Amino acid sequence: MIINLHVNGIKKSFDINPDEYLVEVLRRYGYLSVKKACDTGSCGVCTVLVDDSPVLSCSYYAVRANNKHITTVEGISGEDRSLGEFLVDEGVDQCGYCSPGLILTVIAMKKELENPTKESIVEYLTGNLCRCTGYVGQLRAIMRYMGVSE
Amino acid sequence: MKDKFQSVGQNLSKVDGMGLVTGKPLYTDDLAPKDCLVIKILRSPHAFARIKGINTEKAEKLVGVEVVFTHENVPKHLYTRAGQSYPEPSVYDKYILDEYVRYVGDEVAIVAAQSEETALKALKLIKVEYEVYEPVLDMMKAQGSKSQIHFRERCFLNMDKGFEPEKNISAVYNFSVGEDVDEVLENCHVVVKERYKTQAQAHTMMETYRAFSYIDQYGTLVIVSSTQIPFHVRRDVALSLGISAGKVRVIKPRIGGGFGGKQTVQVEFYPALVTYKTGKPSKIVYDRKETYQATTSRHAMALDVTLGSDLDGNIKAIDMNIISDTGAYGEHAATVLGAAGYKSLPLYNRVDGARFTGKAVYTNHIPGGAFRGYGVTQGTFALESAVNELAAKLNMDPLVLREKNMIRKGESSEIFNLTTVGVGSDPIPMDSCELKYCIDKGKELIDWGNKYPRKVISPTKVRGVGMSIAMQGSGIPGIDTASATIKLSDGGTFTLLTGAADIGTGADTILKQIAAEGLGVSYDIITVFSADTELTPFDVGAYASGTTYFSGNAVKMAALDLREKILAEGARMFEINNEDVLFDGLEISSKDGNKTISLIDFSNKLIYKRPHIQLMGTGSYTTTDIAPPFVAGFAEVEVDLETGKVDLLNFVEVIDCGTVINPKLARIQAEGGIVHGIGMALFEEVKETKKGKLITNTMMQYKIPCRMDINNIVVDFAESYDKTGPYGAKSIGEVVTNPAPPAIVDAVFNATGIRIRELPITPEKLKMALINK
Amino acid sequence: MITFGDYIQPKSVDEAYESLISKKSARLIGGGCFLRMGNRRIGLAIDLSQAGLDYIKDAGEEIEIGAMTSLRSFETSELLKEHFGYMIGDSVKHIIGVQLRNIATIGATVYSKYGFSDPITALLALDADICLYQGGRMALGDFLKEVGHRRDVLEKIIIKKSNKRGSFQTLRNSQVDYAILSVAVVDDEKGIRISIGARPGRAALAIKAMEYINSKGLCEEIASKAGEIAAEELHYGSNNRGSGAYRKELSKILVKRALLEVSK
């Protein structure tokens, strides 16, 4: 079936099967920043934004995204782009495989949390697993990006 | 020392960092041809069986299926998947496909089809008849088992490491130094004798195992793989197919984490075989279940340690005996086992006698393999736990006990010599060893004075602190090889070609810093390329904590070599003597200042005018004079006495890794390594059913620490310089993982009086022990 | 892998129900998160996402939560927080992560009667009812006791407003792992209700402990005793996360803690 998605601000038609998850469709159409890692909705690596909300693209049926706005890391713009620089400045890019999902979640979090604290940031991001960095460096970078102090 | 350096010691950002965070398609599966064949593997449902019959007729007839392989039609060449230097010490006990299956998940058939769906469908159409055997599922009973997992005539040994398949022994490792340990122990006033157990741990890198292959314009079989060991993959794949290594090229793109898992050739054989046989591009991407079920994990071990000391806490004897579970195949069996002793016992070099005995046994479990720490993590857990138990017995602060007994700068350890092939009996002096500083600094950072041993917070909450020291190697002396080439290109820029495998660690970045230091130029004018067996010089790859030290030294040599050549060409150009030429990174000039040429003009002249040459520097490195890194780790826990739950509040680690080439990246690597140790201490455990079927086969069942599990981590570095390392550097990748398990266990002991000797410390274990106290 | 034969997006519950009974191989699709872990073919997939079931409504004496409400909406609803405090949020915040909770739905969670479910434990203590299209309204506790799954559409979950004070206590090793045990306690005009989930069986009320505590005043000693009664009266089993013996010990502690928290 054909669905319409606004991916990174551009409306496009996608030929999909209704039993396909969004990650499969996005990768098939060349949005390769979207990564798969766990297959069970457990790790946050495949996170994309659907109408600005972070969702696991591995667990979200593509058909449900019909006519919605999808943001992948290729499509982030403006001030949000600087988040990547904060991560790189702190050295927490490491293997980088979880970075796109983390970045998108942080962007959504920044909009959603009204008075972010260290605790609320950790809680919000706990679904983004990372095996390289041990998390604390990422937290330093993200707190700096969010303007949150210890 | 540090002040002398220009590039070394700088917080350079990762050279690939912005590419990674902007989501560029840089990983293996991003690069695979869209229309390539998709490979799926049929796996054994039995822990131990022989394939009596296998019928692939229906699968082969399915539209879209390209080829089906079984043990009956694959090339039969024995190999080991362990990515080690040739000749590998691991037993060659594996074929691409065998008529025996030795664990649940072992490969039975390989299907390549035009789509994943078709390949999966085809798997279901393959009919297999098994003769099922009684599996060996308890490593402690493997030696006496009636079931024999491997057969001598179906294996090949490069060297005898005690292989005794009749007793399910893959390797034996024994050594001793000094006086007879039993006699020394008899005369000790205080003896600790305990058994410790470490669990199998799964790497859980975010990018699962994957590779694709194709035949290029020269007829070469190209494999693009998510690997830590491109050069070993090249050799091993050629061996498995019975073809010349010259027909195989391996390219390593960006890698989504490895942690040792990708030091084993897990998947590359399959696309190589399919493409070699069909001529068509093919790929394999392991899903998470296969990654847990059918690759490798950290060797589970049972470690008996006996320590003896006098009443003043002078450790006189250490005896360590290990049974290591190498699972169905002997990948890394001997070396992981040996490392558990020879990279932990040297910490206490003043003993009168030390003895290590160990066996790596075959079982019908998931194979053991390389995993960050490589046995040293297991050995350190047992040894350091025993030392902490000795401190408790002596009623002595564990820091004092360490200071009395631990190895110091300038000293040597006879046992550490045993790691070194070809060094003979000459002691390897510890040119750098800042353990004393690490302990003192860590003590201050954790506030040991106020917190040791415990603080009661409430009737149900108690806090405790604990610590451990640890060491590791910096590559494998006498065995590892690293080489690098740097070329001066027109336009005045340099390209560093290295076979070192950056798997997210930042190797490309720190090697560039070393190159810049050696050349005496700004790192901005150097680009790095890694790793491609056809284009970059040989490097064993990313393992054994060898990259900074071995590859770094090779890069330094290449840089110095090229610098010499630049000076020589400058001398020729200026018609003066070599020693009268200066190169400040921007200009080549004569000492008297009369003649000057910019690097850009110089490089253009070399290539486009006479002498029309490409200047290149190259370096190959190995050593027998090896420098281990050292650390001290300190844990502070809060225990809920009612539930048994342990919260790790603080972890402090002070690291002597020599010169820190890039403090920013080193810090992150340390923090990540510490969390691997925390995972092993508190959360992670590979679990199987009684029949050997994996329970922890998803990330819902196998829990790595999440963000909410990790509190404060403090990393600090000792001022240190080792003259054997590149600009004083030693390794850091693995050593950082080792102290967390014993330190956390001791913190829990200090809080509660309960000593957990079997990892991980689950709330249930602790609660039940508290009830039975 | 789950594959679909036919697929529809009904615009109403009526339509969804008609389709459900039209075909033996028809299945409702809620969030789709847990479903994906399976490996089968669904003849007719009925996607409830357009059936108008995504709402949290103030209905006077009660609050209605549509079955397709995401766990994240459930967690962050000001309306629910206003009436039931933090226990709603506490009962979902350990479920994997925000990204999953934006997809997984409360209806699918309740309908599936997962033993490990934290929100079911909380809803049971809150004395919630459920509303089935065909089966009508019934107590969640009764629904949980039913063996097997009805062929019906779960429309909404209803919680009566009252001066409820609640506490949700759980123990898990890693913070986003499944619970080893979860306990919810609610205190309102009708007395105290204690629900215990992840035993690892489905959540159930600790009736004897409730009777005991409701006949006494609440203090530390009584709370401890109630914990012991709860530990005795329910069955605690073993799984990969913990043994029955440990769960039994834990239930004493978590019941006591939850009771003491609501008494504050």
Side-chain angles (χ1 to χ4, degrees):
Chain A
M1 64 191 284
I2 303 292
I3 58 168
N4 293 308
L5 306 178
H6 303 260
V7 184
N8 300 329
I10 298 166
K11 188 178 171 182
K12 278 189 192 169
S13 296
F14 293 77
D15 191 1
I16 64 151
N17 288 324
D19 52 15
E20 274 188 296
Y21 287 98
L22 188 55
V23 65
E24 310 292 351
V25 173
L26 290 172
R27 281 193 68 85
R28 193 166 74 237
Y29 278 85
Y31 300 96
L32 296 173
S33 71
V34 188
K35 304 286 190 241
K36 279 168 60 170
C38 75
D39 309 321
T40 50
S42 320
C43 73
V45 164
C46 66
T47 301
V48 300
L49 303 183
V50 176
D51 290 346
D52 292 338
S53 275
V55 302
L56 299 175
S57 63
C58 77
S59 302
Y60 189 89
Y61 283 114
V63 59
R64 287 186 175 173
N66 196 11
N67 295 319
K68 291 192 164 133
H69 289 263
I70 313 293
T71 311
T72 71
V73 94
E74 291 104 333
I76 59 171
S77 54
E79 187 210 349
D80 295 343
R81 285 187 73 91
S82 67
L83 173 56
E85 286 160 30
F86 278 84
L87 295 176
V88 173
D89 279 350
E90 190 63 40
V92 291
D93 32 341
Q94 285 268 310
C95 91
Y97 201 76
C98 72
S99 296
L102 177 68
I103 286 170
L104 291 165
T105 312
V106 172
I107 288 167
M109 171 175 75
K110 200 176 178 197
K111 290 193 181 117
E112 201 175 320
L113 292 186
E114 278 168 17
N115 296 302
T117 61
K118 187 174 169 182
E119 287 69 32
S120 65
I121 290 172
V122 168
E123 228 176 272
Y124 196 100
L125 297 177
T126 209
N128 292 90
L129 297 181
C130 165
R131 190 61 156 167
C132 290
T133 65
Y135 303 117
V136 287
Q138 289 182 343
L139 184 61
R140 289 193 295 271
I142 291 163
M143 284 172 66
R144 207 173 302 138
Y145 169 73
M146 305 267 291
V148 175
S149 49
E150 247 334 278
Chain B
M1 269 300 176
K2 254 190 218 161
D3 309 338
K4 292 199 329 209
F5 300 134
Q6 298 293 320
S7 294
V8 162
Q10 297 296 313
N11 283 320
L12 197 60
S13 288
K14 278 184 70 199
V15 291
D16 50 355
M18 287 315 291
L20 299 179
V21 299
T22 52
K24 292 215 160 32
L26 303 170
Y27 300 87
T28 302
D29 192 40
D30 303 340
L31 305 169
K34 269 194 168 178
D35 58 350
C36 65
L37 297 171
V38 175
I39 299 170
K40 290 283 166 188
I41 293 185
L42 183 68
R43 299 186 176 283
S44 169
H46 304 293
F48 190 23
R50 192 179 66 83
I51 298 167
K52 274 162 64 181
I54 185 161
N55 187 332
T56 58
E57 220 171 287
K58 281 189 180 161
E60 282 171 86
K61 278 187 187 149
L62 188 69
V63 176
V65 170
E66 179 75 22
V67 64
V68 180
F69 291 106
T70 69
H71 73 93
E72 291 167 355
N73 65 344
V74 290
K76 281 290 190 63
H77 303 280
L78 282 163
Y79 60 78
T80 175
R81 301 187 300 176
Q84 301 174 308
S85 287
Y86 179 81
E88 303 95 330
S90 298
V91 179
Y92 287 15
D93 53 13
K94 207 169 180 334
Y95 296 105
I96 298 176
L97 294 172
D98 197 353
E99 65 178 301
Y100 290 91
V101 285
R102 297 181 172 89
Y103 70 102
V104 177
D106 209 348
E107 298 84 17
V108 172
I110 302 164
V111 171
Q114 281 160 12
S115 73
E116 183 176 354
E117 211 185 339
T118 307
L120 288 170
K121 221 181 257 174
L123 292 186
K124 289 186 185 155
L125 298 174
I126 300 172
K127 292 282 166 271
V128 191
E129 208 187 328
Y130 295 97
E131 181 181 351
V132 179
Y133 304 130
E134 185 65 32
V136 181
L137 295 170
D138 180 349
M139 66 168 160
M140 304 313 281
K141 293 180 183 158
Q143 292 176 70
S145 172
K146 275 180 281 180
S147 294
Q148 185 179 336
I149 299 169
H150 286 278
F151 304 96
R152 200 173 283 271
E153 65 277 14
R154 296 172 62 89
C155 292
F156 173 79
L157 306 176
N158 282 310
M159 57 194 83
D160 190 3
K161 292 274 179 189
F163 180 64
E164 208 175 338
E166 300 77 16
K167 291 186 183 167
N168 289 321
I169 296 170
S170 182
V172 175
Y173 219 102
N174 296 325
F175 59 81
S176 60
V177 297
E179 298 167 30
D180 181 86
V181 167
D182 294 322
E183 274 174 34
V184 180
L185 279 170
E186 253 173 54
N187 295 317
C188 284
H189 292 95
V190 188
V191 173
V192 169
K193 183 178 168 62
E194 295 294 346
R195 169 167 292 180
Y196 304 91
K197 281 187 167 178
T198 60
Q199 75 278 38
Q201 188 182 17
H203 307 84
T204 319
M205 67 295 281
M206 286 296 145
E207 184 201 31
T208 59
Y209 300 94
R210 57 205 48 203
F212 69 87
S213 60
Y214 58 91
I215 307 277
D216 75 3
Q217 64 272 33
Y218 307 111
T220 300
L221 176 63
V222 183
I223 302 165
V224 179
S225 171
S226 180
T227 181
Q228 300 175 215
I229 43 162
F231 286 87
H232 294 330
V233 171
R234 172 177 177 265
R235 192 189 68 242
D236 290 345
V237 164
L239 174 66
S240 78
L241 295 175
I243 61 176
S244 155
K247 296 300 271 180
V248 182
R249 170 184 177 190
V250 178
I251 298 170
K252 179 208 73 74
R254 293 296 99 182
I255 307 301
F259 316 117
K262 294 170 185 175
Q263 193 206 335
T264 297
V265 192
Q266 309 273 15
V267 298
E268 294 85 344
F269 299 110
Y270 313 118
L273 169 70
V274 168
T275 298
Y276 178 67
K277 291 286 186 184
T278 66
K280 296 182 181 178
S282 66
K283 79 166 175 181
I284 190 160
V285 176
Y286 271 10
D287 63 22
R288 186 57 65 179
K289 274 191 181 154
E290 285 176 299
T291 294
Y292 281 128
Q293 175 72 68
T295 61
T296 52
S297 58
R298 187 188 290 284
H299 291 84
M301 289 187 188
L303 310 97
D304 293 324
V305 180
T306 311
L307 281 185
S309 85
D310 63 17
L311 289 170
D312 297 327
N314 295 302
I315 299 175
K316 300 290 183 187
I318 307 177
D319 191 14
M320 185 183 270
N321 174 263
I322 296 180
I323 297 291
S324 171
D325 186 350
T326 195
Y329 296 96
E331 286 113 358
H332 304 278
T335 40
V336 164
L337 172 65
Y342 60 60
K343 290 181 192 169
S344 66
L345 299 178
L347 286 170
Y348 303 102
N349 61 329
R350 273 193 284 287
V351 295
D352 294 337
R355 178 173 61 196
F356 178 92
T357 50
K359 289 186 178 119
V361 296
Y362 286 117
T363 64
N364 296 108
H365 287 143
I366 294 166
F371 190 145
R372 191 179 211 167
Y374 204 77
V376 189
T377 310
Q378 294 96 310
T380 302
F381 170 64
L383 176 65
E384 285 298 277
S385 288
V387 172
N388 284 328
E389 295 210 46
L390 179 64
K393 256 192 173 170
L394 289 163
N395 204 16
M396 184 181 277
D397 187 322
L399 303 185
V400 176
L401 184 61
R402 295 306 188 304
E403 290 191 17
K404 271 177 188 276
N405 293 285
M406 71 197 182
I407 192 165
R408 283 160 196 272
K409 186 172 178 167
E411 295 178 356
S412 64
S413 157
E414 224 180 305
I415 292 172
F416 195 65
N417 264 39
L418 295 169
T419 65
T420 308
V421 175
V423 75
S425 54
D426 298 339
I428 303 173
M430 298 298 148
D431 182 48
S432 62
C433 174
E434 302 298 335
L435 265 177
K436 172 89 171 81
Y437 174 86
C438 294
I439 288 178
D440 290 346
K441 185 71 183 177
K443 180 181 177 181
E444 175 196 321
L445 289 169
I446 197 89
D447 193 13
W448 185 269
N450 283 312
K451 290 175 176 172
Y452 175 78
R454 83 182 59 80
K455 280 217 184 281
V456 176
I457 303 302
S458 76
T460 61
K461 296 273 170 80
V462 186
R463 291 181 184 176
V465 289
M467 65 85 64
S468 160
I469 56 174
M471 62 183 289
Q472 192 84 29
S474 295
I476 313 168
I479 288 180
D480 280 355
T481 312
S483 46
T485 295
I486 306 173
K487 55 180 185 175
L488 171 60
S489 305
D490 54 330
T493 61
F494 296 90
T495 304
L496 166 61
L497 301 172
T498 166
D502 189 332
I503 53 169
T505 48
D508 284 352
T509 310
I510 65 117
L511 293 178
K512 169 165 147 164
Q513 288 176 264
I514 291 170
E517 195 67 48
L519 287 164
V521 304
S522 161
Y523 48 65
D524 294 331
I525 58 169
I526 302 175
T527 53
V528 189
F529 182 83
S530 74
D532 180 331
T533 58
E534 206 73 351
L535 304 179
T536 57
F538 184 88
D539 190 294
V540 290
Y543 62 88
S545 296
T547 301
T548 302
Y549 191 82
F550 272 76
S551 311
N553 266 321
V555 168
K556 181 184 170 191
M557 288 166 75
L560 294 178
D561 182 36
L562 181 54
R563 187 178 167 85
E564 280 307 309
K565 286 176 176 160
I566 289 168
L567 295 175
E569 281 304 321
R572 194 193 49 74
M573 227 176 254
F574 298 154
E575 296 176 333
I576 56 177
N577 292 327
N578 285 10
E579 54 273 23
D580 294 327
V581 183
L582 296 173
F583 173 42
D584 67 0
L586 297 171
E587 289 177 334
I588 296 105
S589 52
S590 61
K591 264 187 189 161
D592 59 16
N594 289 336
K595 291 178 177 162
T596 293
I597 184 169
S598 73
L599 180 63
I600 295 173
D601 290 345
F602 175 78
S603 65
N604 288 342
K605 221 171 176 180
L606 283 178
I607 284 182
Y608 298 118
K609 295 198 171 19
R610 286 183 65 186
H612 298 281
I613 53 163
Q614 167 74 73
L615 273 200
M616 304 222 278
T618 197
S620 291
Y621 183 77
T622 193
T623 183
T624 52
D625 186 6
I626 190 80
F630 296 94
V631 294
F634 296 77
E636 184 187 7
V637 300
E638 181 172 287
V639 179
D640 183 331
L641 296 171
E642 288 186 316
T643 63
K645 174 81 172 114
V646 174
D647 286 324
L648 179 64
L649 302 179
N650 289 295
F651 197 88
V652 169
E653 196 165 292
V654 186
I655 304 162
D656 165 13
C657 60
T659 300
V660 187
I661 303 280
N662 184 323
K664 173 165 93 180
L665 299 184
R667 175 174 307 277
I668 302 302
Q669 215 184 2
E671 289 169 351
I674 288 166
V675 172
H676 279 196
I678 294 170
M680 184 172 168
L682 294 173
F683 303 107
E684 300 177 37
E685 186 174 17
V686 173
K687 288 184 188 170
E688 292 171 334
T689 65
K690 284 186 180 130
K691 291 190 161 179
K693 190 171 182 305
L694 187 66
I695 296 168
T696 48
N697 64 353
T698 65
M699 285 172 76
M700 310 195 86
Q701 300 299 342
Y702 187 86
K703 298 314 284 188
I704 61 168
C706 72
R707 222 168 278 269
M708 276 154 83
D709 296 325
I710 300 302
N711 295 305
N712 195 32
I713 294 176
V714 178
V715 168
D716 202 11
F717 296 98
E719 278 284 328
S720 175
Y721 183 93
D722 197 287
K723 71 176 191 305
T724 66
Y727 302 106
K730 303 189 285 185
S731 86
I732 187 167
E734 295 177 281
V735 70
V736 289
T737 297
N738 298 337
I744 293 170
V745 159
D746 203 42
V748 169
F749 171 79
N750 285 330
T752 64
I754 301 291
R755 172 77 58 185
I756 302 287
R757 299 190 182 91
E758 189 168 338
L759 296 177
I761 313 167
T762 60
E764 174 161 356
K765 257 182 222 171
L766 188 54
K767 171 69 180 174
M768 291 322 203
L770 283 163
I771 288 174
N772 298 323
K773 195 175 168 183
Chain C
M1 197 163 43
I2 298 284
T3 55
F4 298 163
D6 294 320
Y7 167 87
I8 54 166
Q9 273 187 342
K11 295 284 178 291
S12 69
V13 183
D14 296 338
E15 211 186 304
Y17 182 75
E18 286 310 314
S19 307
L20 181 65
I21 56 168
S22 73
K23 216 170 168 180
K24 208 176 164 196
S25 62
R27 291 287 180 279
L28 299 172
I29 309 296
C33 298
F34 283 100
L35 178 78
R36 72 187 297 270
M37 250 76 88
N39 200 354
R40 64 190 159 111
R41 184 169 177 81
I42 293 173
L44 171 62
I46 305 163
D47 180 348
L48 289 177
S49 64
Q50 306 298 316
L53 294 176
D54 180 5
Y55 56 80
I56 298 177
K57 271 197 283 218
D58 190 333
E61 300 293 297
E62 304 174 328
I63 294 173
E64 297 182 355
I65 305 158
M68 287 299 284
T69 302
S70 73
L71 294 183
R72 182 68 178 158
S73 303
F74 182 69
E75 174 186 5
T76 54
S77 160
E78 286 302 322
L79 185 62
L80 291 174
K81 196 178 289 168
E82 186 190 323
H83 288 278
F84 313 121
Y86 288 100
M87 73 178 293
I88 294 275
D90 286 350
S91 78
V92 288
K93 74 174 186 193
H94 295 280
I95 303 174
I96 304 291
V98 169
Q99 305 97 319
L100 182 100
R101 302 202 292 273
N102 274 329
I103 305 172
T105 62
I106 189 69
T109 302
V110 169
Y111 179 82
S112 304
K113 304 179 192 174
Y114 295 119
F116 56 76
S117 170
D118 293 340
I120 287 179
T121 306
L123 288 169
L124 185 61
L126 285 164
D127 202 13
D129 287 345
I130 61 154
C131 201
L132 295 159
Y133 177 80
Q134 188 66 22
R137 181 165 176 164
M138 68 190 294
L140 171 64
D142 293 337
F143 178 70
L144 291 176
K145 281 181 200 146
E146 288 183 357
V147 180
H149 294 278
R150 291 177 179 229
R151 246 179 129 61
D152 205 339
V153 182
L154 176 65
E155 282 189 73
K156 60 189 169 191
I157 292 147
I158 302 161
I159 316 176
K160 291 171 278 291
K161 288 183 190 168
S162 61
N163 294 315
K164 290 182 184 358
R165 278 179 305 173
S167 169
F168 183 83
Q169 301 284 330
T170 175
L171 191 91
R172 49 240 297 153
N173 194 9
S174 173
Q175 287 306 300
V176 294
D177 197 357
Y178 291 110
I180 302 172
L181 197 79
S182 62
V183 169
V185 164
V186 168
D187 183 9
D188 62 17
E189 297 87 351
K190 289 186 296 182
I192 287 175
R193 291 166 63 86
I194 304 168
S195 140
I196 307 182
R199 294 172 295 107
R202 284 175 199 166
L205 293 174
I207 303 288
K208 285 183 190 161
M210 284 158 54
E211 278 167 7
Y212 173 77
I213 198 107
N214 285 324
S215 68
K216 311 261 176 181
L218 189 48
C219 69
E220 178 144 11
E221 200 189 325
I222 301 291
S224 284
K225 181 76 183 134
E228 279 168 31
I229 295 169
E232 285 307 320
E233 70 176 294
L234 291 171
H235 173 71
Y236 298 88
S238 299
N239 69 355
N240 188 26
R241 300 263 172 329
S243 69
Y246 177 56
R247 287 194 161 96
K248 197 168 168 175
E249 287 301 323
L250 265 188
S251 68
K252 295 177 194 169
I253 307 304
L254 298 188
V255 166
K256 179 186 76 180
R257 288 184 181 178
L259 285 168
L260 291 176
E261 193 179 291
V262 297
S263 76
K264 272 180 205 157

